[in-house]
Amino acid sequence: MSHELAALFDVEDPVPMAYTLEVSSPGLDRVLRTPAHFQRFAGERVWVELKIARDGRRRYTGRLETVGPDGID
């Protein structure tokens, strides 16, 4: 993406002075912390690591179905 934007900026020259173009992404490792983060990714595949094991497991992978006041499903 950054290469395509850089090429477009070189042609269109929207910034009249020297600049550095940086395009970043939260990537696959993004930590979801707030309810808004969880809501944004509802319906997506997630990887969850618990601090305390549940049913003998700490790591789970699945689809984040719903987000509500009582937690996530």
Side-chain angles (χ1 to χ4, degrees):
M1 179 61 107
S2 62
H3 294 294
E4 291 182 28
L5 282 175
L8 179 63
F9 275 33
D10 287 344
V11 171
E12 298 294 325
D13 198 25
V15 182
M17 60 192 80
Y19 64 91
T20 300
L21 175 65
E22 181 178 328
V23 177
S24 63
S25 168
L28 298 175
D29 301 6
R30 180 168 186 182
V31 176
L32 305 180
R33 291 194 167 102
T34 69
H37 290 160
F38 285 94
Q39 187 63 45
R40 180 174 172 215
F41 289 95
E44 300 292 330
R45 186 174 176 83
V46 295
W47 177 72
V48 177
E49 184 171 346
L50 305 174
K51 287 184 179 181
I52 299 171
R54 182 176 182 180
D55 298 327
R57 293 178 56 194
R58 289 185 53 223
R59 296 182 178 134
Y60 292 86
T61 302
R63 184 169 309 281
L64 178 56
E65 293 292 332
T66 60
V67 179
D70 297 327
I72 61 173
D73 292 319

